[in-house]
Amino acid sequence: MKKIAIFGSTGSIGVQTLQVVKQLEDVEVVALSTHKNIDRLKDQIAAFHPRLVVVKDKQKAKVLAQELAGQPVEVLSGMKGLKAMAEMEEVDTVVMSLVGNVGILPTYQAIAAGKNIALATKEVLVSGGSLIMQAVKENGVQLTPIDSEHSAIFQCLQGAGPNRIQKILLTASGGPFRGKDRAFLQQVTPEMALHHPNWSMGPKITIDSSTLMNKGLEVMEARWLFDVPVEKIEVLVHPQSIVHSAVEYTDGAVIAQMGVADMRLPIAYALTYPKRFFSPFPKLDLTKVGPLTFEKPDKKAFPCLQLAYDAMREGGLLPTVLNGANEVAVARFLRKEIDYLSIPRIIACVMDTYTNHAPSSIEELMEADRWSREKAAQIS
């Protein structure tokens, strides 16, 4: 019986993970966490009977603890609660789907405690790639990607050595503004940007998808997951979202993973790897798909993608700085404090003013993250 803890269980990935768990006979949910959605969390507690739940919002945690008094579930709060959840003795696999850099520390703690990681939070590797992957090696744990693109690459690499990779082909839907120019983008509102053509996601990742920053973060994540230089990772815009990514090998063969746009499929693979389970979820019917198209991304209209490549090439703590600045810029855009094109402008400004160096500890990484957020909040 695999025993899992789901960080971010009330978000999109967390909810879909629990849908997958319902179909699996050998997976038990031991712990769940939310930021503050205690109503949804209560429904999950009733359905899956975890032994521990964590509410990051301390006041909401107090309310939940009072409501659950006498029930066989412990309620903790804040980062201390997330740490306790990461280190639970009975947990063997952590599903990490917290939004943003908040997932870095509990992921690191879970790895140090010997837990396998099913990773949906790309910022964990974007900001902490070198430290996280070193911890994975030192502790002998397995890190399996949940992102559909990285799951696709992971599947395409089964049975092949990494030295045979010529290129990783990372597909992108192009978001809601594919083909639009900067004059159009100047008028984009949060409501427009939150309408993704293919995927149903949380607000932050949906905005990132519209700016192509999400694809930039995935390039950075792929560099660490598959130990390839960023020059070997190419983004292809594929609006149908049928080919989730592909690998080109040194002999010219290209192996791709295809499927319907359903996050439950990569989630299930991450939970059951190396086995596959009989899925009740929708299947791909190639006779109904129609033409599949591919094109190069427009980095001039969507400079966030180029900023991510630049940060990854320079390395050090610059990816951490980019990520922190992006989180703040996106939040400010959603609050209508800045316009759409100010998102990449603010990120570039923060990157340009940072004195870069390599991280030596998680604490140093978190300090760079704090600095970048403060700087991004100050730029008008």
Side-chain angles (χ1 to χ4, degrees):
M1 180 70 70
K2 181 174 289 187
K3 298 184 177 182
I4 67 172
I6 306 174
F7 287 75
S9 67
T10 60
S12 175
I13 294 295
V15 168
Q16 291 177 90
T17 299
L18 290 172
Q19 292 173 359
V20 171
V21 169
K22 284 183 178 180
Q23 306 298 323
L24 301 174
E25 297 179 352
D26 57 350
V27 176
E28 177 186 354
V29 176
V30 176
L32 301 170
S33 89
T34 185
H35 177 59
K36 59 182 179 180
N37 191 345
I38 61 173
D39 289 335
R40 180 171 288 175
L41 183 61
K42 283 190 291 185
D43 291 340
Q44 293 176 348
I45 292 168
F48 294 93
H49 311 291
R51 299 168 207 176
L52 171 69
V53 295
V54 178
V55 183
K56 194 163 186 297
D57 185 297
K58 294 182 180 181
Q59 197 57 43
K60 294 276 189 179
K62 288 181 181 179
V63 172
L64 182 62
Q66 292 171 354
E67 294 185 9
L68 296 179
Q71 296 189 35
V73 55
E74 183 179 9
V75 180
L76 297 178
S77 66
M79 287 303 296
K80 288 185 178 179
L82 294 178
K83 181 178 186 294
M85 183 170 159
E87 297 174 346
M88 283 185 74
E89 185 175 350
E90 52 265 65
V91 169
D92 54 60
T93 300
V94 160
V95 177
M96 180 53 62
S97 62
L98 296 177
V99 176
N101 269 6
V102 69
I104 294 174
L105 192 54
T107 301
Y108 188 81
Q109 291 163 338
I111 293 168
K115 315 301 182 187
N116 293 324
I117 308 295
L119 185 65
T121 305
K122 58 180 61 65
E123 292 86 353
V124 168
L125 290 182
V126 167
S127 292
S130 61
L131 297 173
I132 293 293
M133 295 310 293
Q134 182 62 33
V136 167
K137 292 176 183 177
E138 290 176 352
N139 291 278
V141 303
Q142 176 180 294
L143 192 156
T144 309
I146 282 179
D147 264 356
S148 61
E149 295 83 357
H150 299 93
S151 175
I153 297 163
F154 184 72
Q155 293 179 58
C156 292
L157 288 173
Q158 296 306 304
N163 63 320
R164 297 176 182 171
I165 299 173
Q166 181 67 27
K167 188 186 299 182
I168 284 175
L169 301 170
L170 194 67
T171 57
S173 70
F177 308 131
R178 181 175 66 89
K180 304 299 184 182
D181 59 19
R182 289 181 67 81
F184 175 91
L185 297 175
Q186 187 69 53
Q187 310 303 319
V188 165
T189 65
E191 291 77 15
M192 294 165 65
L194 287 170
H195 183 68
H196 193 280
N198 295 351
W199 300 97
S200 176
M201 306 173 289
K204 193 267 181 184
I205 191 173
T206 304
I207 300 299
D208 280 351
S209 180
S210 75
T211 65
L212 293 193
M213 178 57 87
N214 188 55
K215 204 52 50 177
L217 299 179
E218 290 178 3
V219 168
M220 300 160 85
E221 186 181 8
R223 179 265 174 271
W224 293 111
L225 277 171
F226 307 114
D227 194 25
V228 296
V230 70
E231 290 77 17
K232 286 192 172 187
I233 305 171
E234 179 182 343
V235 172
L236 287 178
V237 175
H238 170 51
Q240 296 82 19
S241 294
I242 295 297
V243 175
H244 296 302
S245 278
V247 174
E248 178 184 326
Y249 287 92
T250 52
D251 62 357
V254 176
I255 296 179
Q257 188 267 329
M258 305 169 71
V260 295
D262 189 335
M263 282 304 301
R264 292 174 298 182
L265 303 180
I267 290 169
Y269 188 71
L271 291 180
T272 61
Y273 174 81
K275 298 178 180 179
R276 294 181 183 269
F277 88 115
F278 183 81
S279 170
F281 305 128
K283 306 294 193 298
L284 179 64
D285 184 345
L286 288 172
T287 66
K288 297 179 180 179
V289 167
L292 301 180
T293 62
F294 303 88
E295 60 196 60
K296 290 185 179 296
D298 185 348
K299 293 182 182 178
K300 290 184 178 180
F302 301 95
C304 283
L305 179 57
Q306 186 61 55
L307 289 172
Y309 270 100
D310 293 343
M312 195 70 251
R313 286 192 180 98
E314 184 165 337
L317 282 165
L318 203 59
T320 306
V321 169
L322 171 140
N323 184 71
N326 178 62
E327 287 192 24
V328 171
V330 168
R332 291 181 65 188
F333 170 68
L334 287 170
R335 295 195 298 266
K336 301 186 177 181
E337 296 176 7
I338 61 172
D339 62 32
Y340 187 74
L341 291 181
S342 288
I343 296 174
R345 177 179 60 81
I346 288 172
I347 297 166
C349 183
V350 174
M351 290 172 62
D352 288 343
T353 54
Y354 184 69
T355 303
N356 192 30
H357 61 283
S360 59
S361 66
I362 286 289
E363 290 73 23
E364 194 172 7
L365 185 151
M366 301 310 292
E367 173 58 25
D369 176 65
R370 183 200 61 77
W371 179 90
S372 67
R373 290 169 187 273
E374 288 185 0
K375 191 72 175 176
Q378 295 166 1
I379 300 171
S380 59

